[in-house]
Amino acid sequence: MSTISTPKGRAQFSKEKGNEAFKKADYANAIGFYTAAWMEDPEEPTYPLNRAAAYLKLGKNEDAEKDCTIVLKLSPKNVKAMFRRAQAYYAMSKLHDAQKDLQAACELEPKNESILLLIGEIDLKLQAKREKAMAAAAAGKFVDPNASKRRRRVPINIIEDSAINPPASKSDTKIQFEAPKASDGSGLTAVSSRPLKTSPESTTLPHSTSSTVQAAPEPLNEIFPPNSSLPPSAGKPRPTPASFKDAKDARTTSRPSRVGGGIFHATGSSKVFTNRETAGEKGKSPPIKAPETYFELAKAWNARRTPEERWALLSTIRPLKFPSLCKTSMEPEFLATLVETFNYILNTADLETQILVKSYMDVLPDIQRFNTLFMFLIAKEKAVVREVLSKLGVDKPEGQWAELLK
């Protein structure tokens, strides 16, 4: 095993760890080890090349393509990089780009069976696409993508205003009312709420230029029949109020307010807003829903700014379930803010809260690629971890924490 006293030695050590994880099909941890190796020795193309292979196993084709491009900048004639980038292009359906890389690799290694096999597969796919396009063109279904789109033209008949309302003479303008027409096939029928009464005599407007004249309002006794109840102030002049209070009282008595109709019941409850707050319920915070994935946890975590809010969110997750929820998705930034929250909560924590924090700290090393995550923490953030353990009464960490904090 290589010494780890130099950057190249540490890079080689991380590479060997990555190879072991790759053989065990633990591709996520392999990516972490290859990343650590590349950070120690960024000029060595082997590390991003190996990481590209792990990315391909996880189906992260875009990341694999980027790593292979980096390798080809460091080593332009690297056949493995050309082949793996072609695999990524092939998975992303970029067949022509894959074909270019394979042709370049085939010139360097013309007898490489893997390269020749992938070239044959791409040729078959491209041929199938060409045959499909030719069949569509022969059937008249081919659409030229450069052809301009056809627009449907709808004829519009312009009807002059004089055709609808012929001009009336100034001296003889009569009001005419038409009976409601039957439905014209659209499903709509004109409906009148009450019969319109025409004025017995025509209305003459000596200086009006409009051909449409509105009818005078109906008498009050026709709108409210004698047997119906009239408004209390109907037909009676209202006295001038002497003060603002009198005016308010007069307005309240003349048109009393009542709840009912529309979206409200007579009791005042709403038919639409069923969850309206009452006076006694104001100030109560809604219950926090436990996140089911790391994505939901990170989104809710970033939406909360105070340590108390974040602790309330975290408390909805059982400690033993935390590693399986995070899987390989946890980021170093989240880990740093998580430990800071623990440190803040422990300042005023009771015994039950201290036990819960200790449970979370015990399961954190069980998260996948946690060693790699911890490597990205700065010295200040690692000091916060030591402070949290000290507040929990752990002066000398044991197990994996001891290895990470040594």
Side-chain angles (χ1 to χ4, degrees):
M1 185 176 292
S2 303
T3 178
I4 58 173
S5 59
T6 63
K8 288 186 178 294
R10 289 192 293 270
Q12 185 65 23
F13 177 76
S14 297
K15 176 197 169 186
E16 292 172 1
K17 286 285 188 181
N19 291 344
E20 293 176 5
F22 192 93
K23 291 176 182 178
K24 296 176 182 178
D26 187 2
Y27 304 117
N29 274 328
I31 289 171
F33 285 119
Y34 292 141
T35 302
W38 191 30
M39 291 176 65
E40 294 289 347
D41 190 4
E43 298 299 323
E44 174 57 48
T46 305
Y47 308 136
L49 182 63
N50 289 1
R51 191 172 70 170
Y55 276 137
L56 286 173
K57 291 292 185 180
L58 293 176
K60 296 186 175 183
N61 302 301
E62 293 182 358
D63 293 327
E65 181 265 326
K66 291 177 183 178
D67 275 0
C68 291
T69 302
I70 292 171
V71 173
L72 290 172
K73 288 180 181 179
L74 297 173
S75 177
K77 294 185 178 182
N78 194 309
V79 176
K80 284 186 178 180
M82 295 177 188
F83 178 69
R84 288 176 185 171
R85 189 169 71 171
Q87 287 180 307
Y89 282 142
Y90 179 76
M92 293 187 289
S93 298
K94 297 180 179 181
L95 301 181
H96 292 288
D97 292 332
Q99 203 173 38
K100 291 179 182 178
D101 278 345
L102 291 172
Q103 289 173 354
C106 193
E107 291 177 1
L108 296 172
E109 294 186 10
K111 296 182 179 180
N112 191 312
E113 294 183 1
S114 300
I115 296 173
L116 296 174
L117 183 63
L118 189 56
I119 288 176
E121 290 181 11
I122 292 175
D123 288 342
L124 288 175
K125 278 206 169 187
L126 291 175
Q127 180 63 25
K129 279 191 173 184
R130 285 191 291 267
E131 291 176 357
K132 186 176 181 181
M134 292 175 63
K141 297 180 180 180
F142 178 74
V143 179
D144 185 3
N146 299 320
S148 59
K149 295 182 178 179
R150 295 183 179 180
R151 297 184 179 180
R152 181 183 177 186
R153 294 187 177 182
V154 180
I156 300 175
N157 296 326
I158 301 176
I159 303 176
E160 298 294 338
D161 186 61
S162 58
I164 302 174
N165 297 318
S169 63
K170 295 182 180 180
S171 61
D172 187 16
T173 305
K174 295 184 179 180
I175 305 172
Q176 297 181 355
F177 297 94
E178 295 182 358
K181 295 181 180 180
S183 173
D184 56 356
S186 63
L188 302 176
T189 306
V191 177
S192 177
S193 59
R194 56 186 173 83
L196 300 176
K197 299 182 180 297
T198 59
S199 176
E201 296 181 359
S202 62
T203 305
T204 304
L205 298 178
H207 301 291
S208 175
T209 58
S210 174
S211 61
T212 305
V213 182
Q214 296 181 351
E218 297 183 26
L220 192 63
N221 60 356
E222 294 189 8
I223 299 175
F224 295 95
N227 295 333
S228 65
S229 59
L230 291 173
S233 60
K236 298 180 181 179
R238 297 181 182 178
T240 303
S243 63
F244 287 107
K245 185 176 182 303
D246 294 341
K248 182 179 178 181
D249 293 341
R251 186 168 60 251
T252 303
T253 54
S254 62
R255 305 186 75 177
S257 61
R258 59 188 178 87
V259 178
I263 64 172
F264 294 99
H265 296 287
T267 59
S269 60
S270 172
K271 303 174 184 177
V272 178
F273 305 103
T274 56
N275 294 325
R276 293 190 304 163
E277 288 185 344
T278 60
E281 294 176 346
K282 288 183 178 180
K284 289 185 179 179
S285 58
I288 301 175
K289 181 183 177 183
E292 298 180 358
T293 62
Y294 175 79
F295 175 76
E296 294 180 2
L297 173 61
K299 184 177 180 181
W301 185 271
N302 293 329
R304 290 162 171 78
R305 296 300 179 186
T306 64
E308 293 86 354
E309 293 176 344
R310 288 179 170 179
W311 174 249
L313 172 66
L314 188 64
S315 301
T316 61
I317 306 171
R318 291 183 298 140
L320 293 177
K321 186 182 176 183
F322 193 66
S324 61
L325 184 141
C326 294
K327 296 182 180 179
T328 61
S329 302
M330 182 181 282
E331 299 293 335
E333 294 81 3
F334 182 87
L335 177 60
T337 56
L338 180 66
V339 176
E340 289 174 1
T341 301
F342 290 157
N343 191 33
Y344 179 88
I345 293 298
L346 287 173
N347 291 330
T348 58
D350 54 11
L351 180 60
E352 184 179 352
T353 304
Q354 292 178 15
I355 294 173
L356 189 57
V357 173
K358 179 69 165 57
S359 301
Y360 283 117
M361 292 296 291
D362 289 342
V363 300
L364 278 182
D366 296 337
I367 297 174
Q368 297 184 37
R369 67 185 186 91
F370 185 77
N371 291 355
T372 305
L373 282 174
F374 198 80
M375 289 174 55
F376 285 97
L377 297 184
I378 61 177
K380 182 179 178 182
E381 293 167 343
K382 292 179 180 179
V384 176
V385 175
R386 292 188 180 92
E387 188 175 352
V388 170
L389 292 174
S390 178
K391 289 180 179 180
L392 292 172
V394 183
D395 296 328
K396 293 183 179 180
E398 299 177 356
Q400 195 165 351
W401 280 120
E403 296 180 7
L404 293 171
L405 295 172
K406 64 181 178 180

